[in-house]
C-alpha cells in the first residue's frame, strides 16, 4: 500500500510540474505573438493561433513525457531534470521562433495570429515539434 501512496505522490509532483511547464508554454506563445492569445483562440476562434499554441503544448508534453519516462531512480533528481529539460525546451522553441522570424518575410508573430489561414503557421508549428523532438531525444 505504501508503494501506491508513494507512486501517487510522485505522479502528483510530476503532474504539477508538467502543468506549470504547459502554462509557461502558453505564456511564452502569448508573449511572442501580438494581442491576447486566450481571446484570439477562445473568443475569435483563430485557427492559426490555436495550431501554433497546440504545437507548443504537444512539444512540451513530449519533453516532459520523455524526461519522466527516462527519469533517474532518485526522485528529486528526476524532478529537477524534468524541470530543466522542460525549461530548456521552452527557451529553444522561443529562440527557433525568433530565428525563423528573422529569416522569413513579414512578422511571424502577426502571421501566427492572423485570422486568415497561412502556411507559415504550419512551418512554425512543425519547428516547435522538431525542437521538442531534439530536446526529447537528447534526454534519453
Amino acid at each position: 500500500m505504501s508503494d501506491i501512496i508513494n507512486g501517487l505522490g510522485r505522479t502528483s509532483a510530476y503532474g504539477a510540474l508538467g502543468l506549470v511547464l504547459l502554462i509557461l508554454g502558453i505564456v511564452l506563445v502569448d508573449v511572442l505573438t501580438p494581442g491576447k492569445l486566450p481571446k484570439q483562440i477562445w473568443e475569435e476562434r483563430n485557427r492559426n493561433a490555436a495550431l501554433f499554441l497546440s504545437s507548443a503544448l504537444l512539444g512540451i508534453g513530449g519533453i516532459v513525457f520523455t524526461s519522466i519516462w527516462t527519469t533517474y531512480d532518485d526522485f528529486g533528481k528526476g524532478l529537477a531534470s524534468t524541470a530543466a529539460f522542460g525549461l530548456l525546451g521552452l527557451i529553444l522553441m522561443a529562440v527557433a521562433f525568433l530565428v525563423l522570424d528573422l529569416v522569413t518575410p513579414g512578422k511571424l508573430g502577426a502571421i501566427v495570429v492572423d485570422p486568415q489561414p497561412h502556411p507559415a503557421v504550419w512551418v512554425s508549428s512543425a519547428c516547435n515539434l522538431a525542437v521538442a523532438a531534439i530536446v526529447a531525444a537528447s534526454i534519453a
Side-chain angles (χ1 to χ4, degrees):
M1 187 68 163
S2 68
D3 288 349
I4 293 172
I5 293 171
N6 188 20
L8 288 171
R10 288 174 182 242
T11 301
S12 297
Y14 278 115
L17 176 58
L19 286 173
V20 166
L21 290 168
L22 290 171
I23 290 167
L24 288 175
I26 294 168
V27 170
L28 177 66
V29 171
D30 197 22
V31 167
L32 291 172
T33 56
K36 289 294 178 194
L37 192 63
K39 181 177 187 219
Q40 291 170 354
I41 294 173
W42 280 270
E43 292 178 25
E44 298 172 10
R45 298 175 182 247
N46 185 316
R47 291 180 180 164
N48 285 339
L51 175 63
F52 186 67
L53 177 60
S54 296
S55 71
L57 295 175
L58 286 169
I60 292 302
I63 292 169
V64 171
F65 170 86
T66 303
S67 186
I68 293 169
W69 190 262
T70 61
T71 194
Y72 299 95
D73 289 334
D74 178 334
F75 172 66
K77 191 174 181 182
L79 203 58
S81 169
T82 300
F85 281 109
L87 289 171
L88 178 61
L90 287 168
I91 291 166
L92 290 175
M93 279 191 247
V95 169
F97 179 88
L98 295 172
V99 169
L100 192 58
D101 187 28
L102 285 174
V103 300
T104 56
K107 291 300 296 169
L108 190 54
I111 291 169
V112 166
V113 297
D114 190 315
Q116 295 301 313
H118 199 292
V121 177
W122 287 90
V123 173
S124 303
S125 297
C127 187
N128 273 344
L129 295 174
V131 167
I134 292 165
V135 173
S138 74
I139 296 170

